[in-house]
DNA sequence: ACATGAATATTGGAT
DNA sequence: ATCCAATTTTCATGT
């Protein structure tokens, strides 16, 4: 799994190592070093000399990690070209891409370690509790929102975006349902408001708006009241009912 | 900078290593290993056995990287508690936090390498081209939006959010300006529309709405027309004018 | 290629 | 602690 490693490589040694293993395109390379980092593209940034962990993956993505936080200090999602060289006695890597046009340049001022790994393509990954899943579950069990609710459409397109769930209640009124997998805020309320307005413009039927989420912020709840809309508490991670043959994450094997 | 390293550690050796260096709280620890990863909290996920690079930083943040993409497969922004142990002959790390309550559990099935680094807190970092910077520049030079425009407020709070720039034009009309540092989409148009509506409700003055961005999507431009709002092309990375003593990123030292 | 919208978004700032 | 809005958001998806 570990292909190669050098401790405290000289600049030309580091450059050669990077060149060799990045060119292969089938491994992950990382460098621990004091670095200077320049970025220019959608924005521009400079990171003065400091210790960083630099990771270059097979897809050419580059990330420069500092001592804290999940998010890298500098990064590039995917690069079209990688250049490695020695400038003024310092190993330098430049990662470029074209769309959008941007560039990250890392100068390895004092490399402590460089390594190349082979990470085999990994296996299955399953995520539970996405909004898409929540939408499927509620389309199947609309009574979790309101007894007697009948779902007419999912992702119904309007001129201002797609309506998550479009339904009819037992009184015959149309119901626009906006889903959020986590606590809903004012943005979600306005989104719902837009959809309701849009549907009302189309016809003369009575139209209700329901925000379905596990929770709602106080200002958002206020706003709902002002706009004559409703909130319904719905969990994003529903207990799977016996009728469904869905595997449970924590079910015993 | 490199504190310690073990190749192909046995489970108890890996657990001891992790325990020792994670407890210190002043270093970055990483493991290259075949892993199984469980996450449970805001959502839930399972990653089946595969090769991953696991990074634990000083702040307790955990990230599990696969062979591609900047974004980790699993992660945790900050953990309150880290537990390390050996279960069924396999080294296991569990990272928990309380707000929100969530947990990541990594089982190191076949560890190839574990390392501990000391990354000193890094120095200066400067980002140019943020929306905040754009806002300052345009507040100072509103003529870049429209000749004769007079800025009354920045970040003016309304009941539906903060207005980026609030101004008056040469005809005496109020102007709501929404800024985007990159190409503006329908979402931005709706945001602007909300602010304009809110201001109109407050008084009887004529109110214009301007979306200022380096570019705009075709549907968004359409929407602007429908709502009677305007678009103005403004760069997020303005050429610094001679009057400003702002340092240029690429100026020679 | 472009536009849209979700995300375990993360992160920083204001209240 | 809560809430809001920016982000070099990234990323997957649909058109």
């Amino acid at each position: 799994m570990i292909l190669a490693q050098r401790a405290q490589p000289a600049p030309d040694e580091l450059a050669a190592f990077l060149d060799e293993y990045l060119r292969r395109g089938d491994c992950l390379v990382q460098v621990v070093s004091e670095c200077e980092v320049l970025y220019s593209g959608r924005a521009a940034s400079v990171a003065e000399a400091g210790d960083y962990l630099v990771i270059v993956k097979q897809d050419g993505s580059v990330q420069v990690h500092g001592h804290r936080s999940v998010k890298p200090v500098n990064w590039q999602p995917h690069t079209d070209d990688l250049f490695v060289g020695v400038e003024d006695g310092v190993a330098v890597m430049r990662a470029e891409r074209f769309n959008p046009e941007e560039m990250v340049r890392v100068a390895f001022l004092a490399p402590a370690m460089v390594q190349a790994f082979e990470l085999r393509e990994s296996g299955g990954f399953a995520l539970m509790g996405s909004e898409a899943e929540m939408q499927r579950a509620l389309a199947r069990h609309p009574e979790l929102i309101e007894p007697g609710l009948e779902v007419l459409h999912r992702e119904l397109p309007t001129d201002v975006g797609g309506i998550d769930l479009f339904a009819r209640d037992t009184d015959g009124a149309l119901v626009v349902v906006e889903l959020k997998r986590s606590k809903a805020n004012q943005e979600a309320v306005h989104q719902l408001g837009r959809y309701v307005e849009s549907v009302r413009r189309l016809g003369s039927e009575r139209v209700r708006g329901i925000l379905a989420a596990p929770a709602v912020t106080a200002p958002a709840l206020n706003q709902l009241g002002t706009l004559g809309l409703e909130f319904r508490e719905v969990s994003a991670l529903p207990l799977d009912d016996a009728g469904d043959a869905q595997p449970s994450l924590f079910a015993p094997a």
Side-chain angles (χ1 to χ4, degrees), chain A:
Chain A
M1 205 185 296
I2 308 266
L3 296 176
Q5 165 169 353
R6 302 274 186 287
Q8 304 190 332
D12 54 344
E13 197 184 352
L14 174 57
F17 188 103
L18 290 174
D19 190 60
E20 176 180 351
Y21 287 98
L22 291 178
R23 197 183 291 283
R24 287 177 50 152
D26 66 344
C27 53
L28 184 154
V29 178
Q30 65 172 20
V31 186
V32 179
S33 171
E34 183 182 357
C35 303
E36 235 174 45
V37 188
L38 278 185
Y39 161 73
S40 166
R42 288 168 289 178
S45 70
V46 201
E48 287 169 19
D51 293 346
Y52 295 102
L53 168 64
V54 182
I55 297 173
V56 185
K57 293 190 181 181
Q58 296 174 27
D59 59 357
S61 60
V62 176
Q63 37 197 315
V64 181
H65 281 274
H67 67 107
R68 46 163 251 112
S69 150
V70 170
K71 196 181 162 190
V73 175
N74 272 282
W75 69 93
Q76 190 117 242
H78 167 270
T79 54
D80 298 301
D81 279 317
L82 277 168
F83 303 95
V84 177
V86 178
E87 298 179 14
D88 299 325
V90 171
V92 170
M93 181 179 77
R94 208 168 73 248
E96 296 183 1
R97 65 173 182 158
F98 308 135
N99 186 19
E101 194 160 314
E102 54 186 351
M103 183 268 299
V104 171
R105 180 185 181 278
V106 183
F108 301 101
L109 304 178
M113 169 82 70
V114 55
Q115 293 167 307
F117 306 108
E118 191 173 13
L119 294 192
R120 289 164 306 175
E121 185 144 358
S122 18
F125 178 82
L127 178 74
M128 285 131 277
S130 66
E131 185 179 306
E133 214 180 34
M134 187 180 174
Q135 192 183 112
R136 278 193 295 272
L138 291 177
R140 214 142 98 140
H141 299 292
E143 71 275 5
L144 290 172
I145 301 174
E146 186 173 284
L149 202 66
E150 180 197 1
V151 174
L152 307 175
H153 292 278
R154 282 168 55 187
E155 292 293 348
L156 177 69
T158 74
D159 52 347
V160 291
I163 294 175
D164 288 340
L165 290 176
F166 190 59
R168 194 178 290 281
D169 71 12
T170 52
D171 287 348
L174 292 172
V175 181
V176 175
V177 182
E178 171 68 24
L179 300 180
K180 286 296 161 200
R181 65 168 306 291
S182 57
K183 187 184 271 200
N185 59 14
Q186 293 200 46
E187 203 58 37
V189 176
H190 287 296
Q191 212 173 333
L192 175 59
R194 280 208 306 275
Y195 299 148
V196 170
E197 282 247 338
S198 173
V199 174
R200 280 184 184 145
R201 274 200 302 275
L202 289 178
S204 56
E205 292 189 83
R206 195 163 76 84
V207 182
R208 295 168 55 202
I210 298 181
L211 179 59
V216 61
T217 69
L221 190 57
N222 250 330
Q223 197 86 235
L224 277 174
T226 306
L227 298 177
L229 304 171
E230 307 162 45
F231 173 69
R232 184 70 175 84
E233 183 184 326
V234 176
S235 167
L237 289 168
L239 303 175
D240 46 359
D241 45 329
D244 283 4
Q246 288 193 358
S248 167
L249 177 57
F250 303 108

